[in-house]
Amino acid sequence: MKDTHERPSSTMLSALPNAARQRILNVSLGWILVAALEALAYTVLAVNIVQQGSPLWVFISTAAAVLVTVFVNSAGYLTGVKLAGDLYSALGHALARTKLSWFNIDQRAHIARMAGQGIPGFMSIPAHQLQSFLHAPLLPLCLILGIGYVCGFVTALVAGTLLALSLVAQFLSQRALKQADAKRHQTEDQTTAATLEFVDHLELLRSAAGPVGAVERIEQRWQAQEKALIKTNLASALAIFVSTLASVLPIAGIACFMIFTGETNALTILAAIVLTGRACAPLIELASAGLGINDLKASLENFKKTLYAPRLAEPSQPKPFPKNHILHVQAVNHGPVLKNVNAMIPHGNRVQIVGPSGCGKSTLLELLMRFDDPESGKITLNDVALGDIPYEELATHIAYVPQEPIVFTGTLAENIRLGNPNATDQEVETAARQASLAAVIERTEEGIHQSVGQQGAALSGGERQRVTIARALLKEAPILILDEATSALDVTTEEAVVKTLKSLDATVIFVTHRDATHWQPDLTIDLTP
């Protein structure tokens, strides 16, 4: 088998799909052009100030810069939307083939943050981040060239030095502001937690310390927050003061330099001030971008880790799913629970997997569906290893009913039709009735098109379980795997569902903690240690 999983390269944007990188490259070139045209427009303005020439070229250069800026900015927003679509698509395709053993609690939380915050945050890269990383530094550099053209090389060198000093001061002040803001958020979070604790346990605090004593503890937290916020505000005020001085430094410095060096042409001094002032404007944005680049890099690295999570290898020489199969489990070992499991399951058998809680019943079911590969041993269908069958084809031949029924927001038909997207309404209703959902169908005039509520909230636990069974029945797969699929059903309903399952021309592998007599299993796999 070959691993079709591409490995990440070392560049920061390597996590992004090729189409997304190309879009970002196009917008990047746009922002470079914007910086050049804007600097040209200001340089033309400065030349006209000094020479008192016609404003025609000022108007033409300014109009060109404005039009290109509007176009690139709009393209950036549109690219951001497309970028989010690219990333969601890439994430979905990656997760669809990721080993299920990788999805622990931490990884699930990470994916939720990535989908809810990370990817939407990436939408700002083309419109805002690229402007900060490209337009903000290039514009001052181009304007320094303009100063050199209008006022001379020495003046341009002095202006560049002053701008560099201003950028350093802006960076330090923005870092201090960020640190102060982080401390403020930390203090607010601690106070919020303490307030929630106070509200949640108000009865206990009142009964133990009385109305006055109950608030003493939270008042101490509030006083601590007040002192912390005073320190934070002082630090913020100092940082803002430094930032303001840094903004004024290049303009005042270039004016003083030209006066002290004997420049008597007021128009030349004004032109230098105009160019230097515009060059100063993006420095705060550039300093903030420099501080935020690590956060952006970390977000992209997190996305890349998710994109390149461990996947199931695809076969180099794929083989078709065998008909009238014999499922053979040979010396399978996996994780801390499954040890040397062996079984031979002919097509059409009903197989019960038994054993105490934690013995690996669900793990074995997952291996049979190739949610993961065994650490050792193998599982075959007519001597064809599961790993030699394309995963897409294998998935179409196995139906699965999990222990916890999964019902999505939508209609009854939409949930059942997940088992076979091409099924007709009649086929959906037939599967629903086979799963003992007749009473639910007849509950409203909408029948199978009735809403099941938010994630199935309109259905009982047993009804949700029967929806997942109907979904599996509609798939008509030759292998049906059920993990405690009838645990929420009453005995009569369970027997009716089991009768339907027994009539299928399929291999049925199930786990149940109830009496399995009415299942009439042909084979039992005992995982008791």
Side-chain angles (χ1 to χ4, degrees):
M1 290 184 294
K2 65 178 181 179
D3 189 352
T4 56
H5 189 197
E6 296 179 2
R7 296 297 164 195
S9 58
S10 58
T11 60
M12 186 172 72
L13 296 179
S14 62
L16 303 181
N18 291 332
R21 288 202 295 269
Q22 185 60 50
R23 291 194 183 103
I24 288 179
L25 175 61
N26 293 338
V27 177
S28 299
L29 294 175
W31 283 118
I32 293 172
L33 180 60
V34 167
L37 288 176
E38 187 173 350
L40 177 62
Y42 272 92
T43 301
V44 171
L45 173 63
V47 170
N48 273 263
I49 289 174
V50 174
Q51 299 179 356
Q52 300 183 41
S54 170
L56 176 62
W57 286 107
V58 176
F59 173 79
I60 293 174
S61 60
T62 301
V66 170
L67 289 175
V68 173
T69 300
V70 171
F71 176 79
V72 173
N73 202 32
S74 300
Y77 283 108
L78 180 60
T79 300
V81 174
K82 292 182 177 179
L83 174 63
D86 291 337
L87 297 183
Y88 277 121
S89 177
L91 182 64
H93 283 89
L95 295 180
R97 296 184 177 278
T98 298
K99 291 185 177 182
L100 290 190
S101 58
W102 181 80
F103 291 92
N104 55 35
I105 295 177
D106 292 337
Q107 299 294 4
R108 290 174 185 270
H110 167 72
I111 293 169
R113 288 194 300 272
M114 181 58 60
Q117 300 174 11
I119 292 179
F122 294 152
M123 293 174 63
S124 67
I125 291 178
H128 298 295
Q129 304 287 356
L130 291 181
Q131 183 178 12
S132 300
F133 293 133
L134 294 176
H135 178 267
L138 287 176
L139 180 60
L141 290 175
C142 293
L143 287 170
I144 289 173
L145 296 177
I147 293 172
Y149 177 77
V150 176
C151 305
F153 172 77
V154 175
T155 304
L157 183 62
V158 172
T161 302
L162 292 171
L163 288 170
L165 292 174
S166 176
L167 177 60
V168 171
Q170 292 285 9
F171 179 82
L172 294 176
S173 64
Q174 291 300 314
R175 185 174 66 177
L177 276 172
K178 186 176 181 180
Q179 292 172 345
D181 197 48
K183 291 180 180 178
R184 178 177 63 82
H185 281 300
Q186 182 181 9
T187 303
E188 289 177 349
D189 289 343
Q190 292 173 348
T191 304
T192 300
T195 304
L196 290 174
E197 181 185 53
F198 169 74
V199 173
D200 290 341
H201 303 292
L202 186 58
E203 297 88 346
L204 174 63
L205 292 171
R206 279 186 179 180
S207 61
V212 177
V215 298
E216 288 182 356
R217 189 165 177 267
I218 190 63
E219 282 182 339
Q220 293 175 357
R221 181 65 260 176
W222 289 335
Q223 291 170 0
Q225 182 194 25
E226 182 180 351
K227 293 178 181 178
L229 287 177
I230 290 174
K231 293 180 180 179
T232 300
N233 289 336
L234 289 175
S236 299
L238 178 60
I240 293 172
F241 176 71
V242 172
S243 178
T244 303
L245 287 181
S247 300
V248 175
L249 171 65
I251 300 173
I254 200 68
C256 292
F257 169 77
M258 296 186 72
I259 292 173
F260 290 152
T261 54
E263 178 62 57
T264 57
N265 189 339
L267 295 178
T268 302
I269 296 175
L270 176 61
I273 290 175
V274 169
L275 292 175
T276 305
R278 183 64 188 99
C280 282
L283 295 184
I284 295 180
E285 181 183 0
L286 183 58
S288 299
L291 289 171
I293 191 170
N294 287 332
D295 294 336
L296 176 61
K297 185 177 180 180
S299 295
L300 288 170
E301 286 297 326
N302 287 334
F303 179 78
K304 183 161 56 176
K305 289 178 182 178
T306 306
L307 205 62
Y308 295 99
R311 298 186 190 178
L312 294 168
E314 284 290 331
S316 56
Q317 296 180 337
K319 298 179 180 179
F321 190 93
K323 297 180 180 179
N324 299 320
H325 55 267
I326 296 177
L327 185 59
H328 196 184
V329 181
Q330 304 174 57
V332 165
N333 293 277
H334 192 78
V337 288
L338 293 182
K339 303 293 183 183
N340 195 34
V341 179
N342 293 276
M344 183 174 290
I345 306 171
H347 173 74
N349 272 203
R350 289 184 299 278
V351 181
Q352 181 184 11
I353 300 177
V354 300
S357 178
C359 70
K361 297 187 293 297
S362 294
T363 301
L364 179 57
L365 295 181
E366 292 172 359
L367 293 178
L368 292 173
M369 292 181 285
R370 207 187 168 221
F371 286 174
D372 205 341
D373 291 322
E375 293 175 1
S376 64
K378 61 181 180 178
I379 302 175
T380 63
L381 284 165
N382 286 2
D383 296 326
V384 177
L386 295 188
D388 289 334
I389 303 172
Y391 189 75
E392 191 75 27
E393 183 175 355
L394 181 66
T396 62
H397 288 80
I398 299 177
Y400 173 52
V401 182
Q403 188 170 358
E404 294 295 331
I406 300 173
V407 178
F408 298 95
T409 304
T411 66
L412 187 64
E414 289 170 346
N415 272 277
I416 297 174
R417 192 173 272 118
L418 289 173
N420 180 5
N422 298 319
T424 64
D425 283 355
Q426 183 59 50
E427 290 170 334
V428 170
E429 183 169 344
T430 298
R433 292 184 180 277
Q434 287 176 335
S436 297
L437 285 169
V440 176
I441 294 173
E442 295 162 4
R443 185 181 296 165
T444 69
E445 295 181 355
E446 295 171 309
I448 61 172
H449 298 293
Q450 64 183 279
S451 172
V452 297
Q454 183 73 20
Q455 296 184 346
L459 303 175
S460 67
E463 289 168 346
R464 287 196 294 272
Q465 206 162 51
R466 278 174 275 164
V467 168
T468 60
I469 293 172
R471 185 185 298 158
L473 293 173
L474 186 63
K475 191 172 184 179
E476 296 183 341
I479 297 178
L480 178 60
I481 294 179
L482 307 104
D483 189 0
E484 289 288 346
T486 59
S487 59
L489 307 184
D490 59 75
V491 175
T492 302
T493 305
E494 181 186 24
E495 289 180 350
V497 170
V498 170
K499 183 178 180 181
T500 298
L501 297 175
K502 286 162 58 178
S503 66
L504 300 176
D505 180 23
T507 301
V508 179
I509 304 172
F510 65 95
V511 171
T512 180
H513 286 100
R514 293 182 171 184
D515 182 9
T517 303
H518 52 284
W519 284 86
Q520 296 179 326
D522 302 299
L523 175 67
T524 299
I525 300 176
D526 192 348
L527 298 182
T528 302

